[in-house]
Amino acid sequence: MAAWETVIGLEIHAQLATKSKIFSAASTAFGSEPNTQACAVDLGFPGVLPVLNAEVVNMAIKFGVAIDAKITPVSVFARKNYFYPDLPKGYQISQFELPIVGQGDLSISLEDGQSKIVGVTRAHLEEDAGKSLHEEFTDQTGIDLNRAGTPLLEIVSEPDMRSAKEAVAYARKIHTLVQYLEICDGNMQEGSFRCDANVSVRPMGEEKLGTRAEIKNINSFRFLERAINFEVERQIDLIEDGGKVAQETRLYDSDKDETRSMRSKEEANDYRYFPDPDLLPVAVTDDDIERIRASLPELPEQKRQRYISDLGLSDYNAELLTGSRDIADYFEQALAKAPTLSSQIANWILGNLTGALNKADLDIKDSPISAVMLIELIDRIADNTISGKIAKQVFDAMWQGEGSADAIIEAQGLKQITDSGAIEAIIDEVIAANPDQVEQFRAGKEKVLGFFVGQIMKQSKGKANPGKVNQLLRDKLK
Ligand code: ADP
Ligand code: MG
């Protein structure tokens, strides 16, 4: 019997994919020389004034509309005051009481095929801080301010998740959504998409939430799951040993697979929030919202439904194909060339192609086999030029860069044998060489048919058309 219930709420920081920063014209490009991309506004020099980048407002509204959230008609930027070396202004411009995106929700699919609604409390705009570099220096800390002023959308969930798996499903769903909306590149290694997990436990059946710890520094979905599981164990052990969970910020160490205390949790009033006097409130009209709603691409959930109802794909395949915009785009490029072959295309993408990509640790965007190349291969199976088995061989050759499906089939002489005369000649040979099996078949042992088919396919080097073989073989054996 599970005596404890896990409660998780996530705060996700999605870096908005604008060219310039949220309040200045400085570039947001990743990977430049330290301290070459922070301008006087980002550094908060006396006398400078921030100017809001209109594009970040559009992007936040896109997200809000996509999760059916209330868009706040007039939202306000506030100063969150704290002292830290990578925050040269001494405050971060964020939103506090009036975030641009209010309450919304998101449906997540769970492993058992069920779905669950997770509440989104709010999503607000804010600027990122700089980076402290601890590893590159001994007894010193380097400060890189390139990231200062980079636009972030912080998406805060309700404490609705009940397991690490649910938290991962939710985080993945948001990750997919922001990429579909083209408001965030989703790159977790570069820190464009970061998760903080708030974790608590409570006795099963208890309504009051337990004291939570907030885990920072999680940069992959795998670590998110492991960090939460570790933290849940730690809290249960602590309470069962008579201790108390402290409300604190903890750090996840992926090398040791553990969380460690970083600092005690600050309360909102520690930050002395107040409206930023240098920035006007952000007014959003219904027209703005409708214009943005009309500009939205087809969202993953709509796509998934369409793949099931219009294309006849299985729930499972539809879910996998829409799990990333890149995969869905690839699928649709192929589908555009052969609209009747949807399930074959889905199977090739989710089977051989995904297998090969995973093995080579490649993204579908960098696949050596393009959607157009893949559909040529699938076409050759559909028009009986090659069998499904030979197609795998052609696929491998395409992967190795040996050219298009047609070129490989031609060069390696892989065309299927459909000519009845040629197939009959092989069948006759095989029948003559195996009189015992012929006897068995005639005595009613249907199973030996498989043996004959195997022999014939082997003789033909896999090129005989299996349908023809089956049909002609039965006739001859009778
Ligand atoms: P803060 O901004 O100080 O971290 P919030 O109240 O905004 O605090 O909550 C942040 C996140 O913590 C939200 O995602 C919320 O759902 C989650 N949360 C709040 N209380 C708990 C709790 N007891 N257990 C788990 N998650 C919680
Ligand atoms: Mg927090």
Side-chain angles (χ1 to χ4, degrees), residues 7-11 156-159 198 200 209-210 212 214 265:
V7 175
I8 304 156
L10 294 185
E11 291 163 278
V156 182
S157 84
E158 291 290 310
N198 293 271
S200 66
L209 292 176
R212 75 183 141 128
E214 176 173 358
K265 174 78 189 164

Side-chain angles (χ1 to χ4, degrees), residues 164-180:
K165 285 237 167 8
E166 287 186 16
V168 171
Y170 166 82
R172 280 189 186 277
K173 195 92 186 196
I174 297 269
H175 188 242
T176 304
L177 182 62
V178 295
Q179 287 175 278
Y180 264 80

